[in-house]
Amino acid sequence: MNFEYTFHWRPVMRKLPDLLEASLVTLQISVLSMIIGITLGMVLALLRMNGPKPLAWIASVWVETARNTPALFQLFFFSFGLGAFGMHLTPYLIVLFGLTFNNAGYLAENFRGGFQAVPDTQLRAARSLGMSAWQSYTRIIIPQVFRIVYHPMTNQLVWAVLMSSLAMIVGFRELAGETQALAFKTFRIFEYFAVAALIYYAMVKFILGISRLIAWRMFRY
Amino acid sequence: MIEIKGLHKYFGDLHVLKGIDLTVKKGEVLSIIGASGSGKSTLLYCINGLEAIQQGEVLVDGVSVHAKGTNLNQLRTKMGMVFQQFNSFPHLTALENVALAPKIVKGKSKAEAKEIARAQLQHVGLGDKFDSYPSALSGGQQQRLAIARALAMEPSYMLFDEATSALDPELVGEVLDTMRLLAEEGMTMICVTHEMGFARDVSDRVAFFHQGIMEEIGPPKQIFSEPKSEHTAKFLANVR
Amino acid sequence: MNEPISFFSGFGPKDLWFLAQAAWQTLLISALSISTGTLLGVFFGWILSESKIVGAITLGLILDAFRSIPLIIQLVLFYNLFNVLGLAISPFWAGVVILAVYTSALVANVARGGIEAVGAPMRRAGRSLGLSYVQTMQHVVWPIGLRAVFPSWVGVALGVLKDSALVSVLGHPELLKVARDLITRTQQPLLVLAVAGAFYFALSYPISRYAAHLERKWQS
Ligand SMILES: Nc1ncnc2c1ncn2[C@@H]1O[C@H](COP(=O)(O)OP(=O)(O)O)[C@@H](O)[C@H]1O
Ligand SMILES: [Mg+2]
């Protein structure tokens, strides 16, 4: 047994700037994967609800795979799986695609619920005013859907930040990856991961705070 | 002028409109009465091009609504429609509700659209509600908002589909008054309604629908006091 | 053995058996951590709902941290802590313990929501009928709250089932770890991933469907 372990925090503190920089990478990749994921999720939801058969089917496979397999499995698909086709993505792209795939799948279901919660008569009313289908959706339906899914969407962003830590398994150096690299170089594993945990906690709280602020500014009705 | 010729409408196998012929002239107020399910709403949707038709023709100012080349979005700006459900856009203020379509459909400037919206809201008696969201308005106010929103497109025709049916009884009056005001101003109106008082007092003609057929049409006096069809008589006896 | 043309070159029936065993490990880890985590979580949820202030600022904060830190970080962190403290614990049990605590943090939230969904008025009604606190809990809060939270609880359980894949970072041969090793050996990533994915799907999809079915039945 090994009771002699003494905690050394100073080396970790010296590397704190590196960890903070890596956490910016975490935020960046999470937010980017959300932005693309929201767009794709919207398309998937619409396709699943009233797309032509083959496309609706593809959308269903996407959504169900994203929701019924581990996120890590999805990352593996973008690393080993695509490798089978001779496509070797960089670790950054593996993580970005994996997160985006997952976000889009979960968000699609949220959006579908959102669309179903907006009464059909809203579309009729918009069309009766002479708005085109595109105008009706972008000006009337989708803003209401966003209001309905805002909360789940915030949760998904938090989830994306947490999920991005899987990057350490495919060798991308966002916060978790950087933490792992530094920790195993110095064998101060516990200390490094404890600090990383704190940073994640702070990031999540920061995101939730910002989202509450935005909701307060945006939803006046 | 709205002309409906030999109109047939099916929902799958369900024959909902069975050959409707009807002409509504400029300035006329037509009320449509009839039991629930007789096809009244569907007729309005067909006029507005919100539903496809299977046979016949609908002409609005000589333009065929369902013809292939018709620019429906443009044609719809000639027809304002008010629905039974309030249908105000919940994420927009009253002013924004009214100003949106003039701006994005008719291409008016922001300032112009707002000016129009203010005028129309005042017109329907909502001059003090510009910045209210629909959730803060009563049902009657929301229906008047819907009327203002339709009027802002400067339509030649107004189609009302049971605009007062979803309202609490004490709120019906204010909406009917607004509709009456429009009639007095000379608006051409087709009103599906269960308000027999309104049908009798305001309309030039009343049409009675029964199971997808226009059983009878005539001046309100005749329809209400000496209906020709026994179905009409029965219906009127029941609603009184 | 080297049969470069055969479809199953490298990946043989025996490997399918490996994956099935690994899937069993995944199921075992999940079942153990979900069951203990749920019991713990319901208890925590009850504390949170009963002692608003003290509960919220102590237990509430701790549980919130478990929900706000990536599971993979928690696994590495606590596994190392166990080692540092001299607790010789296998990756399997370390994974189960950490997942169970993580589950309890998620369930606590759900459970508190359920207890609060039943609402004070209904509980008062129960009490006014002469039911004791325990009886009110048993006959009013539990049955109503259960239906209210069941869908969210299933969501948590399915999430943990999938998150159990992360125990692979501790080196335990659960489904994804074995799949990854097989990929390295057989060089047939698509086939191995498809089989592993099918196992996850087979575990998760029926449960989510059945839950949706139950939810619909209860609503009507
Ligand atoms: N979208 C639709 N799909 C199928 N049937 C419909 C649809 N809309 C209306 N119907 C049917 O058409 C008939 C006429 O409906 P409607 O025009 O709404 O009647 P009214 O407005 O006179 O009450 C009813 O039997 C109704 O069930
Ligand atoms: Mg109707």
Side-chain angles (χ1 to χ4, degrees):
Chain A
M1 281 209 205
N2 156 25
F3 281 103
E4 293 96 75
Y5 192 90
T6 43
F7 294 105
H8 286 295
W9 296 97
R10 196 156 294 147
V12 185
M13 286 304 134
R14 264 205 303 275
K15 291 288 185 192
L16 196 58
D18 292 12
L19 293 180
L20 291 177
E21 208 169 299
S23 55
L24 287 183
V25 179
T26 291
L27 281 179
Q28 188 261 333
I29 203 167
S30 311
V31 169
L32 186 58
S33 77
M34 270 305 276
I35 292 171
I36 311 174
I38 287 169
T39 317
L40 286 175
M42 188 66 79
V43 174
L44 288 177
L46 288 171
L47 282 180
R48 230 184 155 189
M49 284 187 304
N50 36 25
K53 266 265 167 63
L55 289 178
W57 187 80
I58 291 175
S60 291
V61 170
W62 181 325
V63 171
E64 295 301 343
T65 307
R67 294 167 60 89
N68 288 292
T69 61
L72 183 56
F73 171 85
Q74 294 157 31
L75 279 195
F76 280 3
F77 177 78
F78 285 101
S79 62
F80 312 124
L82 287 188
F85 297 107
M87 284 170 66
H88 295 282
L89 303 180
T90 60
Y92 176 80
L93 284 182
I94 291 172
V95 176
L96 180 64
F97 287 4
L99 291 188
T100 303
F101 178 84
N102 188 281
N103 285 339
Y106 275 88
L107 289 170
E109 276 305 87
N110 291 332
F111 288 147
R112 194 160 70 129
F115 275 112
Q116 278 162 356
V118 177
D120 298 343
T121 52
Q122 288 280 312
L123 183 61
R124 287 216 148 153
R127 294 309 299 269
S128 80
L129 288 168
M131 292 185 208
S132 66
W134 173 255
Q135 287 173 327
S136 308
Y137 269 89
T138 54
R139 298 306 196 107
I140 304 301
I141 308 294
I142 291 177
Q144 294 182 53
V145 171
F146 263 99
R147 166 78 196 256
I148 296 169
V149 302
Y150 182 79
H151 210 65
M153 232 161 60
T154 307
N155 289 340
Q156 186 64 32
L157 175 57
V158 167
W159 179 237
V161 168
L162 299 182
M163 196 166 42
S164 68
S165 60
L166 300 179
M168 93 184 201
I169 294 179
V170 295
F172 177 63
R173 287 173 77 160
E174 41 58 79
L175 180 52
E178 185 71 20
T179 303
Q180 189 196 32
L182 293 172
F184 285 88
K185 207 155 51 186
T186 58
F187 298 104
R188 314 295 337 166
I189 298 174
F190 179 83
E191 289 89 330
Y192 270 108
F193 276 82
V195 171
L198 278 178
I199 300 178
Y200 274 111
Y201 183 81
M203 278 198 286
V204 167
K205 292 294 141 189
F206 173 73
I207 288 170
L208 290 176
I210 296 272
S211 107
R212 218 159 283 153
L213 203 67
I214 293 175
W216 177 74
R217 289 274 313 148
M218 220 164 65
F219 302 131
R220 292 297 173 79
Y221 64 102
Chain B
M1 191 160 72
I2 295 178
E3 297 159 274
I4 300 163
K5 297 177 185 163
L7 170 62
H8 285 264
K9 167 74 190 173
Y10 293 82
F11 283 113
D13 289 336
L14 188 64
H15 200 171
V16 178
L17 293 175
K18 304 168 180 167
I20 307 294
D21 290 284
L22 174 65
T23 300
V24 181
K25 292 208 189 67
K26 268 264 152 79
E28 190 181 7
V29 176
L30 171 71
S31 287
I32 300 180
I33 60 174
S36 166
S38 54
K40 308 179 301 290
S41 300
T42 305
L43 180 72
L44 292 193
Y45 290 152
C46 290
I47 295 173
N48 207 347
L50 288 167
E51 286 288 355
I53 64 175
Q54 279 68 46
Q55 205 184 313
E57 198 176 20
V58 179
L59 300 173
V60 173
D61 292 344
V63 179
S64 169
V65 174
H66 297 89
K68 262 217 165 110
T70 303
N71 183 344
L72 254 186
N73 293 334
Q74 197 182 13
L75 194 61
R76 282 193 186 119
T77 63
K78 289 192 172 187
M79 298 175 270
M81 187 150 181
V82 178
F83 301 81
Q84 181 177 347
Q85 306 86 353
F86 304 147
N87 275 337
S88 20
F89 303 137
H91 59 302
L92 303 176
T93 63
L95 195 73
E96 290 165 344
N97 257 277
V98 182
L100 182 63
K103 198 171 67 193
I104 68 174
V105 177
K106 286 199 150 172
K108 304 256 190 218
S109 75
K110 224 176 194 171
E112 264 179 307
K114 272 195 179 159
E115 207 33 64
I116 294 169
R118 276 193 210 103
Q120 288 303 347
L121 283 172
Q122 248 140 17
H123 190 181
V124 300
L126 292 176
D128 54 341
K129 299 289 181 192
F130 292 164
D131 297 321
S132 302
Y133 282 95
S135 55
L137 300 178
S138 73
Q141 289 169 331
Q142 289 197 52
Q143 275 312 53
R144 286 188 280 148
L145 170 59
I147 295 173
R149 191 171 70 184
L151 290 176
M153 299 302 284
E154 299 168 317
S156 316
Y157 310 95
M158 285 291 290
L159 315 176
F160 290 89
D161 187 10
E162 298 192 27
T164 57
S165 292
L167 292 175
D168 292 337
E170 73 273 18
L171 300 176
V172 168
E174 58 186 80
V175 175
L176 289 182
D177 287 346
T178 309
M179 290 169 66
R180 210 171 260 136
L181 174 71
L182 287 187
E184 280 162 16
E185 290 169 357
M187 175 63 74
T188 313
M189 294 161 59
I190 304 180
C191 311
V192 172
T193 185
H194 286 308
E195 296 295 330
M196 294 305 145
F198 177 87
R200 189 209 314 256
D201 300 342
V202 182
S203 27
D204 301 308
R205 284 191 298 166
V206 175
F208 173 71
F209 271 58
H210 180 71
Q211 296 181 353
I213 292 170
M214 191 168 74
E215 282 263 315
E216 183 161 6
I217 184 165
K221 226 185 192 151
Q222 177 253 310
I223 297 284
F224 284 103
S225 46
E226 43 202 285
K228 290 187 192 115
S229 146
E230 60 175 296
H231 290 131
T232 317
K234 224 184 205 163
F235 175 80
L236 289 173
N238 281 337
V239 290
R240 270 177 198 153
Chain C
M1 274 229 301
N2 206 346
E3 305 163 348
I5 304 167
S6 154
F7 182 67
F8 275 115
S9 73
F11 190 89
K14 223 168 74 197
D15 297 323
L16 196 60
W17 177 237
F18 282 155
L19 282 174
Q21 279 177 314
W24 169 247
Q25 288 297 314
T26 288
L27 191 60
L28 201 60
I29 295 173
S30 308
L32 284 171
S33 47
I34 290 170
S35 51
T36 47
T38 298
L39 290 178
L40 258 181
V42 169
F43 177 63
F44 290 158
W46 172 73
I47 294 182
L48 288 177
S49 72
E50 285 300 314
S51 72
K52 287 264 152 47
I53 297 168
V54 183
I57 52 181
T58 52
L59 186 61
L61 271 179
I62 295 170
L63 294 179
D64 184 52
F66 282 103
R67 292 189 296 264
S68 311
I69 295 167
L71 182 60
I72 198 169
I73 302 281
Q74 296 182 37
L75 283 163
V76 177
L77 185 67
F78 289 112
Y79 186 57
N80 271 280
L81 184 65
F82 295 152
N83 279 335
V84 166
L85 295 178
L87 294 167
I89 184 171
S90 71
F92 177 86
W93 285 109
V96 168
V97 168
I98 297 161
L99 264 179
V101 174
Y102 174 72
T103 307
S104 78
L106 297 172
V107 170
N109 231 4
V110 171
R112 187 193 46 189
I115 295 172
E116 278 162 13
V118 178
M122 214 178 289
R123 295 165 73 175
R124 256 199 304 280
R127 296 302 288 273
S128 73
L129 288 172
L131 301 180
S132 71
Y133 177 83
V134 173
Q135 283 172 322
T136 308
M137 274 287 165
Q138 182 186 347
H139 296 295
V140 180
V141 177
W142 183 252
I144 301 176
L146 189 64
R147 288 188 174 201
V149 303
F150 182 75
S152 331
W153 178 80
V154 171
V156 169
L158 289 176
V160 172
L161 173 73
K162 285 170 273 170
D163 288 340
S164 72
L166 298 184
V167 177
S168 61
V169 293
L170 304 184
H172 185 73
E174 50 63 67
L175 191 44
L176 267 195
K177 170 89 172 60
V178 171
R180 198 180 179 178
D181 294 347
L182 277 179
I183 288 172
T184 313
R185 213 199 69 213
T186 63
Q187 292 300 314
Q188 284 189 297
L190 278 186
L191 185 58
V192 175
L193 282 178
V195 175
F199 273 119
Y200 277 113
F201 218 90
L203 292 175
S204 161
Y205 190 71
I207 299 179
S208 72
R209 269 309 158 94
Y210 184 64
H213 166 78
L214 271 188
E215 197 182 345
R216 238 172 292 131
K217 211 172 84 180
W218 284 348
Q219 264 170 8
S220 53

